[in-house]
Amino acid sequence: MRTDKNRLLFYFIPLAFFNLIVYYLSFFQLPRSDQLAYLANVANQHDWVSLALKNYAMNRLDLPYDMRDDLLFRPIIYIFLGTEKWLFEYHFIYWQITGFFLHLTVLWWLLKLLLQTYHNVFAILLTTFFSVLHAGVEMVIWTNVHGYLIFIICILISLYQIQRLLTLTNIRLKDILKILIPLTIATFTHELGVIYCILFTIYFYFSLKAKRLDYSKTNPGKKSSFQFKHHQAAMAFLLCIPSILYIVINLSDFYFRGFKLSLEGQSIVQNKNIMLAVLKFFPTLLWWVYVGIFPSQCVTNLAQRTAIFPPFILIPTTGIFPIHGLNLIPIFPGVMVIFIYFFILYKGMYLNYFKDKWKILTLLLVMLFFFALSICFGRISIRGIERILRDNSYYNYFFWVFFTIFIYISIPFNYLKKGSLPIALKRLTSILLVVLILINAYLTSNLFIRNTYGLKILLLVWNNIQNLKQQHNQEADFSFGLDPTVVKIFYVKWLRKTTDPPEKMYNLFELLYPQYYNQLHPKYLLFLGTKDDL
């Protein structure tokens, strides 16, 4: 066991260091989009009880800056956000580093799960590819979705523990708890956990049943936990406990707060375009696959959201050997990897490889199916497919973490090990994956370089405000304002109170420091320039 852990660390440490190089500049960010709305609503809250415990269902509260979405119940997300606010306040570098460490934790469990399935260099390559996936950077760098990373981590842990338990001949209650605890956290982080609990229960039950039958055949007359059908069913159905708890607590909270739906919630409940949402299912899946395999063919912009714009078919791009906007060099590795994967997949089907893997592969496909369906029904059918796929790019990360597991498990490594595949093809596949990794790493790091350059003035002003506040906030009449010539660049045009007229605009400092900001009669005025300009 210690040897396996040391080996995992040997693989993981270079992977973490590589990610640190790629993501380092992402640590220097200012709050964006929904994170600004969250911080504006809790600007005057500073104790942990108020930030975390009292705001566990913040989306069901009437707030100055509307965040209401009563259909959702995600207490872990708001407890975690409140804890971050309590610990870090407005030191946003720590928020960003937290997201990066959560990302590393995802990579740890992903690599561990892949190596558990089969020990092969492709586990490292696929994990590295996923780790710098350009299409998924929003999940890592947008602090408002840290809860989604917690959800993914807990689901990966649960899946790993289920697979581990299926290798044991005797399963104890404490082994089940190793699944139940992360699964409960996942369920109270994202409602998709309710469905995943049910899927894991079904998968675990039938896997135990198959295990029991195999054990009975190979060990006639010998008793084990697998020989007791009721015990087997009880162990499997314990995995449904988080779903039951979630439903009871969610409905109770909903009832005692009073049934009230936001406009978007009403749109979802009254949605008559269910079939339209279903029709968007396959284009959504294709988009997620496309942006992962061909990242260079999309235009990415990091602003209030990390937006990924349509591919070269709609937006011409420039590059080496462009043919009607098509950049052939970055596309070639992706096309070749797809071709080789399907070739190996065909060989695996020919060798009946999937007779032992069909349960876990089916589970992963159904998990992806329900994830995509929830996005199509809950988001795309209301806001439109173009806007969701463009602005909600963190869904790409969500999709690819489980799609990566599916790809790896579907590869018949026993077939590859027998030497039936030309060694040149194996080496070519490794080289192509390395090329895709480098392309993604370059695009991701370049995105942060461009964004850091664009934030240069904003970060300069922000740091000066922080220093000013630290030096003088003990003064009873402390207040500050901004140089009128630069204040306009800090306006947040989309965020306003529900009682404000449409033309009302707030700036960043007015939102985060309502008790200190005074543009009309400030005690201190921050001037952007040199002493000679005064």
Side-chain angles (χ1 to χ4, degrees), residues 138-181:
E138 182 77 324
M139 184 71 90
V140 184
I141 67 172
W142 192 27
T143 55
N144 207 56
V145 292
H146 281 174
Y148 291 2
L149 288 171
I150 294 173
F151 173 82
I152 292 170
I153 291 166
C154 291
I155 293 298
L156 289 176
I157 294 173
S158 302
L159 198 53
Y160 173 83
Q161 294 296 344
I162 289 173
Q163 293 297 94
R164 186 184 68 83
L165 261 57
L166 292 176
T167 63
L168 304 178
T169 54
N170 288 285
I171 301 174
R172 295 163 294 181
L173 181 60
K174 72 175 186 178
D175 296 316
I176 298 295
L177 287 176
K178 291 179 180 179
I179 306 172
L180 269 179
I181 293 172

Side-chain angles (χ1 to χ4, degrees), residues 228-242:
F228 298 96
K229 293 182 180 179
H230 298 298
H231 181 52
Q232 162 194 313
M235 284 192 300
F237 282 98
L238 280 174
L239 303 188
C240 275
I241 290 176

Side-chain angles (χ1 to χ4, degrees), residues 26-42 81 85 88-96 138 141-146 302-306 451 455 458-459 462-463 466 489-495 507-513:
S26 72
F27 298 166
F28 308 100
Q29 298 277 332
L30 291 175
R32 301 180 287 122
S33 192
D34 293 356
Q35 182 66 4
L36 266 179
Y38 170 79
L39 290 173
N41 281 315
V42 298
L81 282 173
K85 169 67 165 57
F88 309 140
E89 276 289 328
Y90 296 150
H91 300 288
F92 296 115
I93 186 171
Y94 300 126
W95 293 70
Q96 299 299 140
E138 182 77 324
I141 67 172
W142 192 27
T143 55
N144 207 56
V145 292
H146 281 174
L302 203 168
Q304 285 298 315
R305 294 286 185 93
T306 304
N451 184 64
L455 285 174
L458 276 74
L459 288 170
W462 175 261
N463 291 332
Q466 290 291 87
I489 68 175
F490 293 98
Y491 277 125
V492 183
K493 298 180 181 180
W494 59 272
L495 184 61
N507 70 58
L508 178 67
F509 303 100
E510 191 175 5
L511 292 169
L512 302 185
Y513 291 118

Side-chain angles (χ1 to χ4, degrees), residues 334-346:
V335 172
M336 288 301 298
V337 165
I338 292 172
F339 173 78
I340 294 171
Y341 172 71
F342 278 105
F343 174 74
I344 296 173
L345 203 65
Y346 166 76

Side-chain angles (χ1 to χ4, degrees), residues 344-500:
I344 296 173
L345 203 65
Y346 166 76
K347 289 292 185 180
M349 294 173 66
Y350 177 73
L351 295 170
N352 293 322
Y353 167 77
F354 297 105
K355 67 179 181 180
D356 297 325
K357 300 292 183 182
W358 70 270
K359 293 187 192 71
I360 182 64
L361 290 174
T362 303
L363 172 66
L364 291 166
L365 282 179
V366 176
M367 287 170 66
L368 289 172
F369 169 80
F370 277 106
F371 167 63
L373 197 64
S374 67
I375 300 304
C376 290
F377 180 71
R379 292 288 186 179
I380 289 176
S381 62
I382 304 301
R383 299 187 180 184
I385 189 169
E386 294 82 5
R387 179 182 172 185
I388 294 301
L389 296 186
R390 180 193 67 207
D391 294 343
N392 294 52
S393 59
Y394 52 89
Y395 292 146
N396 304 327
Y397 187 104
F398 209 118
F399 170 82
W400 268 95
V401 67
F402 297 110
F403 191 52
T404 300
I405 302 170
F406 175 85
I407 290 171
Y408 187 76
I409 294 178
S410 66
I411 298 174
F413 285 105
N414 289 331
Y415 160 73
L416 299 177
K417 195 173 181 180
K418 291 176 183 177
S420 303
L421 202 66
I423 190 67
L425 191 58
K426 296 180 186 178
R427 290 174 178 171
L428 175 62
T429 307
S430 300
I431 292 170
L432 291 172
L433 280 174
V434 169
V435 171
L436 282 175
I437 290 167
L438 293 176
I439 290 173
N440 276 278
Y442 167 75
L443 292 172
T444 300
S445 58
N446 187 58
L447 176 68
F448 300 144
I449 291 171
R450 287 188 284 117
N451 184 64
T452 303
Y453 181 79
L455 285 174
K456 189 175 181 180
I457 294 178
L458 276 74
L459 288 170
L460 175 66
V461 174
W462 175 261
N463 291 332
N464 278 281
I465 290 292
Q466 290 291 87
N467 293 333
L468 181 68
K469 176 180 172 293
Q470 188 174 1
Q471 294 170 11
H472 301 284
N473 68 341
Q474 298 301 321
E475 301 170 8
D477 59 344
F478 171 71
S479 64
F480 69 88
L482 297 177
D483 177 0
T485 61
V486 298
V487 69
K488 62 182 180 181
I489 68 175
F490 293 98
Y491 277 125
V492 183
K493 298 180 181 180
W494 59 272
L495 184 61
R496 58 185 60 87
K497 296 179 181 178
T498 52
T499 55
D500 287 334

Side-chain angles (χ1 to χ4, degrees), residues 123-371:
I124 304 163
L125 288 175
L126 282 173
T127 304
T128 308
F129 167 74
F130 168 77
S131 73
V132 293
L133 190 70
H134 181 59
V137 296
E138 182 77 324
M139 184 71 90
V140 184
I141 67 172
W142 192 27
T143 55
N144 207 56
V145 292
H146 281 174
Y148 291 2
L149 288 171
I150 294 173
F151 173 82
I152 292 170
I153 291 166
C154 291
I155 293 298
L156 289 176
I157 294 173
S158 302
L159 198 53
Y160 173 83
Q161 294 296 344
I162 289 173
Q163 293 297 94
R164 186 184 68 83
L165 261 57
L166 292 176
T167 63
L168 304 178
T169 54
N170 288 285
I171 301 174
R172 295 163 294 181
L173 181 60
K174 72 175 186 178
D175 296 316
I176 298 295
L177 287 176
K178 291 179 180 179
I179 306 172
L180 269 179
I181 293 172
L183 205 53
T184 302
I185 296 172
T187 303
F188 282 86
T189 304
H190 195 287
E191 58 281 352
L192 200 59
V194 174
I195 297 173
Y196 283 5
C197 281
I198 297 170
L199 294 179
F200 284 1
T201 299
I202 296 169
Y203 169 73
F204 194 41
Y205 174 78
F206 283 103
S207 296
L208 284 176
K209 185 177 180 180
K211 191 79 174 178
R212 179 179 61 83
L213 293 174
D214 290 342
Y215 188 87
S216 299
K217 291 178 183 178
T218 56
N219 300 274
K222 188 176 180 180
K223 289 186 176 181
S224 80
S225 62
F226 291 117
Q227 291 183 305
F228 298 96
K229 293 182 180 179
H230 298 298
H231 181 52
Q232 162 194 313
M235 284 192 300
F237 282 98
L238 280 174
L239 303 188
C240 275
I241 290 176
S243 292
I244 297 169
L245 283 175
Y246 177 87
I247 292 169
V248 171
I249 295 174
N250 181 16
L251 292 179
S252 299
D253 183 84
F254 211 170
Y255 174 78
F256 287 112
R257 287 180 186 275
F259 189 84
K260 182 181 178 182
L261 284 177
S262 62
L263 292 176
E264 183 163 320
Q266 294 175 30
S267 300
I268 294 173
V269 172
Q270 300 169 3
N271 184 16
K272 299 178 181 178
N273 297 320
I274 297 178
M275 287 307 299
L276 184 62
V278 173
L279 291 175
K280 302 293 186 181
F281 177 80
F282 287 107
T284 301
L285 285 178
L286 288 174
W287 169 258
W288 287 335
V289 174
Y290 180 91
V291 294
I293 299 295
F294 306 113
S296 62
Q297 298 308 306
C298 301
V299 179
T300 308
N301 180 43
L302 203 168
Q304 285 298 315
R305 294 286 185 93
T306 304
I308 299 182
F309 292 90
F312 63 87
I313 296 172
L314 301 178
I315 299 179
T317 60
T318 58
I320 304 173
F321 304 127
I323 299 178
H324 302 295
L326 176 62
N327 194 336
L328 290 180
I329 287 185
I331 277 186
F332 176 76
V335 172
M336 288 301 298
V337 165
I338 292 172
F339 173 78
I340 294 171
Y341 172 71
F342 278 105
F343 174 74
I344 296 173
L345 203 65
Y346 166 76
K347 289 292 185 180
M349 294 173 66
Y350 177 73
L351 295 170
N352 293 322
Y353 167 77
F354 297 105
K355 67 179 181 180
D356 297 325
K357 300 292 183 182
W358 70 270
K359 293 187 192 71
I360 182 64
L361 290 174
T362 303
L363 172 66
L364 291 166
L365 282 179
V366 176
M367 287 170 66
L368 289 172
F369 169 80
F370 277 106
F371 167 63

Side-chain angles (χ1 to χ4, degrees), residues 36-55:
L36 266 179
Y38 170 79
L39 290 173
N41 281 315
V42 298
N44 293 317
Q45 297 178 21
H46 304 285
D47 63 291
W48 184 79
V49 173
S50 297
L51 286 166
L53 298 186
K54 291 184 179 179
N55 288 336

